[in-house]
Amino acid sequence: MTDHPLVSTQWLDDHLSSPDLIVINAWMPPVTHPDAPAVYPNAHIPGAVFFDVNEVCDKDTDLPHMLPAPHVFSSTMRKMGIGDGQTLVVYDDFGFYSAPRVWWTLRSMGAERVYVLDGGFPKWRAEGRAFNDDTPRRVQSHFSSRLNHGAVADLAQIRSTIENGSRQILDARSAERFAGEAPEPRPGLRSGHMPTALNLPFTQLIAENGTFLPKEDLAKAFQDAGVDLEKPVTTTCGSGVTAAILTLALTVLGVRDLALYDGSWAEWGSRDDTDVVTDTE
């Protein structure tokens, strides 16, 4: 394997029986349909384990699915049978939604061989590949969490970035939400964006067949959004999930100085001491 963070459905199918490979079904219901049931109990890639983004998180904050403490994450991964040195392939049921968030979480916690299935479960099923509803039995493994603090941005760091311009802030939300022309799906949040932020809706990175765009088209999408691929980038979105899609794409393009604002707009837009810009002003 290479440092490229994506694997194809064919690659996964060819390696599905590898003893050091674990497939992870990343799950988080869309914010617009919070009660949507998980697909996993009825259909998943054979051997896949279930990772609920809303459960594997910090339960001591009101912000949605924030990173848990490293020791808590280690305990959770151990119980799931995910351990050090394994090759992890993450997919989700929408193609690209929560899988990049789980990929980013695992990498931020120290896992080295983590990949995302390009096109996810929709592409897998469309190609007629095997799936089942069996619950795998995995032996507990030791997972050593080593949080990479540089991969995670907090409120204070975003304030500093806006003030000193040391990093580019890139927002994955829709153009309408970014401009303040559409309401936020989470109640109680102001509409608009952070000062100095750029906007690249994550949907612009996905091809018609549900895979990532070719590398040259990805690069053009970022450049058209005003992003300098030679400079550091901090990604953000509504709650730190689709921001990881931008982070994943930037990793495909070889950008290394990347951070993700974990609180994202769920934090920034809920406060009365943060500046909010709209295109209607």
Side-chain angles (χ1 to χ4, degrees):
M1 306 234 14
T2 68
D3 290 335
H4 196 287
L6 297 173
V7 297
S8 68
T9 50
Q10 185 61 59
W11 185 94
L12 181 57
D13 212 355
D14 290 343
H15 294 82
L16 203 53
S17 60
S18 298
D20 69 336
L21 176 73
I22 298 181
V23 181
I24 300 171
N25 181 191
W27 169 252
M28 195 191 85
V31 66
T32 53
H33 296 87
D35 297 324
V39 177
Y40 181 88
N42 298 313
H44 53 260
I45 295 174
V49 297
F50 185 64
F51 188 120
D52 188 335
V53 174
N54 284 332
E55 290 298 321
V56 187
C57 63
D58 183 356
K59 297 300 183 64
D60 294 326
T61 175
D62 293 333
L63 294 172
H65 39 254
M66 297 283 284
L67 279 180
H71 72 278
V72 174
F73 190 76
S74 289
S75 175
T76 303
M77 294 303 99
R78 181 176 67 251
K79 293 173 183 176
M80 290 172 61
I82 298 174
D84 296 336
Q86 295 168 328
T87 298
L88 311 176
V89 176
V90 190
Y91 79 92
D92 69 53
D93 303 312
F94 303 103
F96 282 107
Y97 182 53
S98 54
R101 169 71 189 199
V102 173
W103 165 84
W104 172 80
T105 298
L106 286 160
R107 280 171 50 101
S108 298
M109 288 292 184
E112 296 179 352
R113 300 204 303 270
V114 192
Y115 306 89
V116 174
L117 181 63
D118 199 7
F121 202 37
K123 188 171 189 291
W124 182 270
R125 294 186 69 165
E127 294 169 345
R129 302 184 190 275
F131 61 90
N132 59 39
D133 61 359
D134 298 339
T135 301
R137 296 174 180 266
R138 292 201 56 84
V139 177
Q140 291 192 11
S141 300
H142 179 72
F143 186 95
S144 305
S145 290
R146 303 176 301 278
L147 179 60
N148 175 9
H149 293 278
V152 190
D154 61 18
L155 179 69
Q157 289 168 320
I158 294 296
R159 291 188 196 275
S160 177
T161 295
I162 292 170
E163 183 177 344
N164 60 34
S166 59
R167 307 179 64 87
Q168 301 166 100
I169 299 174
L170 185 61
D171 195 321
R173 293 175 301 152
S174 70
E176 294 77 16
R177 288 169 64 188
F178 182 84
E181 297 170 352
E184 287 296 308
R186 291 180 177 82
L189 302 184
R190 292 177 290 167
S191 296
H193 60 268
M194 303 163 199
T196 77
L198 302 170
N199 182 219
L200 177 55
F202 74 92
T203 52
Q204 295 183 15
L205 305 179
I206 312 301
E208 290 185 5
N209 68 351
T211 63
F212 257 10
L213 293 172
K215 194 172 181 178
E216 59 272 18
D217 293 334
L218 285 178
K220 185 177 186 303
F222 281 99
Q223 290 161 357
D224 288 349
V227 178
D228 185 339
L229 296 174
E230 300 298 321
K231 296 181 179 179
V233 182
T234 296
T235 59
T236 183
C237 61
S239 64
V241 174
T242 59
I245 300 176
L246 300 185
T247 301
L248 178 63
L250 288 163
T251 302
V252 169
L253 294 174
V255 180
R256 289 290 175 261
D257 193 345
L258 297 169
L260 185 151
Y261 176 23
D262 202 12
S264 281
W265 200 254
E267 180 175 41
W268 191 272
S270 68
R271 301 175 65 96
D272 58 11
D273 61 348
T274 51
D275 293 332
V276 171
V277 178
T278 69
D279 290 356
T280 59
E281 295 176 346

